[in-house]
Amino acid sequence: MVAGALSFNEKGIAMTDKRTQQMADQSNTEKPPEDWTTGDEPMTGAQRSYLKTLSEEAKAPFDESLTKAQASLRIDELQQVTGRGQPRKDERPHMAEAGDAEADAHGADVRGVSDRE
């Protein structure tokens, strides 16, 4: 088998080899913007468009002169302000409602805390 190639298990599901997985674990997709090699280039068209939309929604000034790295950081800031980019309520892991008595009692028992004290 060629390094980095896909293999398939008995059910026909594609699997990656160990070398490919190790390379994926070292991916630069999570590199901080200040470490990007092209971070000082002008923001991309996609960044400009999204940043303009976020700025309008947040009623914040839009700076046309930001670099790729600066635009990325600004997008993160404005997503916090607008709630965009956050998982929707129906995409979050299921958590019991605060008023659910069974869940409250169970949670209190698990934590070793009692509402009766």
Side-chain angles (χ1 to χ4, degrees), residues 9-56:
N9 68 11
E10 65 279 351
K11 294 182 181 179
I13 298 172
M15 301 177 355
T16 57
D17 63 16
K18 287 183 181 183
R19 181 169 182 253
T20 302
Q21 186 58 46
Q22 288 170 342
M23 291 173 70
D25 293 342
Q26 299 170 0
S27 171
N28 67 357
T29 58
E30 294 297 320
K31 187 184 287 187
E34 52 274 2
D35 293 339
W36 294 354
T37 56
T38 61
D40 58 346
E41 293 178 3
M43 73 176 115
T44 66
Q47 284 179 311
R48 177 178 286 107
S49 175
Y50 189 45
L51 192 51
K52 190 163 179 53
T53 299
L54 287 172
S55 296
E56 290 169 0

Side-chain angles (χ1 to χ4, degrees), residues 35-82:
D35 293 339
W36 294 354
T37 56
T38 61
D40 58 346
E41 293 178 3
M43 73 176 115
T44 66
Q47 284 179 311
R48 177 178 286 107
S49 175
Y50 189 45
L51 192 51
K52 190 163 179 53
T53 299
L54 287 172
S55 296
E56 290 169 0
E57 287 183 11
K59 297 179 179 31
F62 171 70
D63 184 351
E64 183 77 31
S65 67
L66 296 179
T67 65
K68 285 181 182 178
Q70 292 168 331
S72 179
L73 294 171
R74 184 69 174 148
I75 287 168
D76 289 345
E77 292 171 6
L78 292 176
Q79 283 180 328
Q80 293 296 314
V81 172
T82 64

